[in-house]
Amino acid sequence: MAWKIFLFLLLAFVSVAGIAFPIVPVPTKWYEFPFIPGLKENAKIIFFHVPTAWLSVVAFFMSTIYSFKYLRKKNLDDDAKSYAAAQLGIIFCILATITGAVWAKFAWGSFWSWDPRQTSIFALLLIYGAWFALRSSIESEEKRATLSSVYAIIAFLTVPFFVFIMPRIMKGLHPGSADDTNSGPVIDFKMNANMELIFFLSLIGFTILYFWMWNIGYKSIIYRDKINKQYRG
Amino acid sequence: MNAKAYALYLKDFRSEIRTRYAVNSLAMFVIVATSVILFSIGNETITQSLTAGLFWVVIFFSAMSGLSRAFVSEEERGTSLTLQLIAAPSTIFSGKLLFNIVLVFCMNIVITLLYSALFDGFVIKNLALFIAAFFFGNAGLAIASTIIAAIISKAGAKGTLYPVLSFPILLPLILTSVQLTLMSFEGASFIEAKFELAIIICYDVIMLTASYLLFDFVWKD
């Protein structure tokens, strides 16, 4: 119970701090963020955009790991864990796409410009969408679990192409592209200590929240399947 | 194992010669898709990058209309259980993959000839690069669509699901192939295109390995 209160306080602090702390040219007090050229006031969305994007990838990764486990052990609980992770993943993926598009509107001038990162998050959304479409088309539980596990693994193999290769060989606007003169993500060089602290607190807070939600999610799926089975026979 | 895979390929090839189902539907699809594109272009001159993109649009959708037959036909005729009895899963995958590769290559040679006759922007300056991109691109297309076709056939032959499932898997391949096709139009050398070629070869190898490893799980009920 104590950790739930701690998580509530952490996320409340991160939300308030991320939105309300002022950005000043030369930060002197502990609650002031530095002015980052090119980002200006938009920089604050980083506290919400990066954790959602990070969690959409983590969820996809966990979904694939439990797909592997299912194919090895044929235990339907692993399929429920994989399904719960993907359910949360698509929510975070949509949130990352929306926050990213909003940020792009104010930083790059348009909501969508087919930057390599935008292409890869779009592909991730398509993979999630296709995965749920495949699951909903199969009646038998075992068959559904096997086929969706196979598809999740094949889809996961395309992720390195999107995340690591395409953005680095294509020209883009997102930090980390091939023609990026700043040579790295924003967190490396322009944040000051308190901005980094809140950034990592936000990342940790959202990750704990994700694992909590995932825990509740897969348990409810397992219980629902059990009740359905008892009811039927 | 190789002899069995070849026999399976011959069986598919003969039944295709007799019914001409996939070839007819593919040929009509290519003609329809190309004419729709030509109508929508009208008298405008389009850029080479758009031509390269439209080339792969037709290839992708034609592949989606024809390649799912490989496994769906076995499920429809109820012959998949017999196949399970007479051959190992990897042998069956080899045979089906061989058939799909031949189908993709025939289809895309026709599309290439059609495009070079009908589109002004379709001028290949570096033929060797184009052939390399064509070869590895088509191989990757055939491999990925064969394993997805196997998944689809077990999912109850849902035809509409096939392009939905294939597109995210094929997206890295298509993006790179479009780039390589455009480079061959612009006359780029192999040195300039080495990253793209490396990506496309990696994709083929990864998909081939994963397909052989995962096909066992799809095929056995």
Side-chain angles (χ1 to χ4, degrees):
Chain A
M1 191 63 207
W3 67 270
K4 286 179 190 167
I5 295 168
F6 168 74
L7 181 66
F8 172 76
L9 290 176
L10 182 66
L11 281 175
F13 171 70
V14 164
S15 312
V16 171
I19 293 168
F21 282 11
I23 289 184
V24 294
V26 184
T28 48
K29 299 192 181 71
W30 67 271
Y31 55 81
E32 285 172 338
F33 291 148
F35 181 86
I36 299 173
L39 287 179
K40 296 176 225 162
E41 293 279 327
N42 308 336
K44 285 176 176 178
I45 204 170
I46 200 169
F47 301 121
F48 309 101
H49 172 64
V50 178
T52 48
W54 151 254
L55 284 177
S56 61
V57 176
V58 167
F60 188 39
F61 185 57
M62 281 180 57
S63 173
T64 314
I65 287 178
Y66 282 104
S67 297
F68 266 114
K69 270 195 165 172
Y70 175 77
L71 287 183
R72 280 174 60 91
K73 302 256 175 68
K74 299 275 174 189
N75 181 358
L76 275 174
D77 288 0
D78 287 331
D79 182 57
K81 285 175 186 173
S82 165
Y83 186 44
Q87 276 180 332
L88 288 171
I90 195 168
I91 294 170
F92 283 113
C93 195
I94 291 168
L95 285 176
T97 314
I98 293 170
T99 52
V102 169
W103 198 355
K105 174 70 181 170
F106 294 103
W108 304 337
S110 67
F111 283 115
W112 205 262
S113 49
W114 292 111
D115 173 80
R117 293 281 173 190
Q118 289 179 325
T119 312
S120 46
I121 197 94
F122 177 67
L124 194 57
L125 267 180
L126 283 180
I127 289 172
Y128 275 128
W131 198 74
F132 285 112
L134 176 66
R135 282 190 76 91
S136 58
S137 76
I138 307 168
E139 292 282 320
S140 149
E141 271 180 353
E142 276 83 18
K143 209 179 220 181
R144 180 172 62 211
T146 310
L147 292 182
S148 59
S149 297
V150 169
Y151 186 72
I153 293 167
I154 294 176
F156 184 74
L157 293 175
T158 65
V159 167
F161 288 96
F162 288 117
V163 176
F164 299 114
I165 299 171
M166 304 298 274
R168 278 168 180 75
I169 64 159
M170 286 161 80
K171 285 195 161 69
L173 302 158
H174 197 283
S177 308
D179 55 344
D180 185 15
T181 49
N182 299 324
S183 72
V186 185
I187 44 168
D188 282 353
F189 61 107
K190 278 168 185 163
M191 286 183 167
N192 68 358
N194 59 34
M195 202 171 178
E196 267 181 19
L197 179 72
I198 290 176
F199 174 75
F200 285 111
L201 280 182
S202 165
L203 210 54
I204 292 166
F206 274 102
T207 309
I208 299 172
L209 182 71
Y210 161 78
F211 276 100
W212 185 19
M213 288 166 82
W214 172 72
N215 207 17
I216 296 172
Y218 84 74
K219 275 179 188 158
S220 76
I221 292 171
I222 290 172
Y223 287 136
R224 192 192 60 201
D225 287 351
K226 259 185 197 163
I227 291 167
N228 279 348
K229 260 176 206 154
Q230 278 178 348
Y231 187 71
R232 262 188 262 136
Chain B
M1 174 201 155
N2 287 330
K4 266 190 181 174
Y6 186 68
L8 187 64
Y9 160 74
L10 274 187
K11 180 218 92 173
D12 275 347
F13 189 74
R14 285 207 190 104
S15 91
E16 184 55 47
I17 295 281
R18 279 176 201 155
T19 61
R20 285 184 293 279
Y21 182 91
V23 170
N24 277 340
S25 61
L26 269 179
M28 285 317 291
F29 192 90
V30 169
I31 292 168
V32 168
T34 316
S35 54
V36 166
I37 288 172
L38 284 172
F39 287 145
S40 63
I41 292 170
N43 288 325
E44 308 211 7
T45 44
I46 57 167
T47 58
Q48 288 203 313
S49 61
L50 191 55
T51 313
L54 288 175
F55 178 61
W56 280 93
V57 166
V58 171
I59 287 181
F60 172 73
F61 282 106
S62 314
M64 289 305 101
S65 72
L67 295 188
S68 65
R69 292 293 306 163
F71 288 102
V72 171
S73 62
E74 302 287 350
E75 295 289 329
E76 275 174 2
R77 284 180 290 200
T79 45
S80 59
L81 278 174
T82 323
L83 272 184
Q84 279 186 30
L85 285 175
I86 59 169
S90 59
T91 313
I92 290 166
F93 190 74
S94 307
K96 295 290 181 188
L97 181 61
L98 193 60
F99 180 72
N100 270 356
I101 285 177
V102 170
L103 202 61
V104 165
F105 270 87
C106 293
M107 171 188 96
N108 289 354
I109 288 168
V110 172
I111 294 176
T112 312
L113 292 177
L114 263 181
Y115 262 64
S116 49
L118 294 170
F119 287 81
D120 297 330
F122 201 88
V123 181
I124 302 161
K125 286 196 182 131
N126 187 346
L127 188 63
L129 181 63
F130 181 80
I131 289 170
F134 188 80
F135 178 79
F136 289 115
N138 288 349
L141 185 66
I143 295 164
S145 24
T146 307
I147 184 75
I148 303 289
I151 295 178
I152 287 295
S153 72
K154 293 290 173 184
K158 304 280 194 303
T160 48
L161 213 52
Y162 189 47
V164 173
L165 290 186
S166 302
F167 184 67
I169 310 291
L170 287 171
L171 197 53
L173 180 86
I174 290 174
L175 287 178
T176 325
S177 299
V178 169
Q179 284 272 329
L180 276 173
T181 313
L182 185 60
M183 280 176 160
S184 72
F185 290 170
E186 288 164 348
S189 66
F190 270 93
I191 306 290
E192 289 171 88
K194 66 171 191 271
F195 271 121
E196 279 79 3
L197 279 173
I199 292 174
I200 214 166
I201 292 169
C202 283
Y203 181 90
D204 288 3
V205 172
I206 291 172
M207 279 301 151
L208 190 64
T209 319
S211 303
Y212 270 102
L213 288 176
L214 292 169
F215 184 69
D216 285 19
F217 296 107
V218 179
W219 188 243
K220 283 179 196 153
D221 278 324

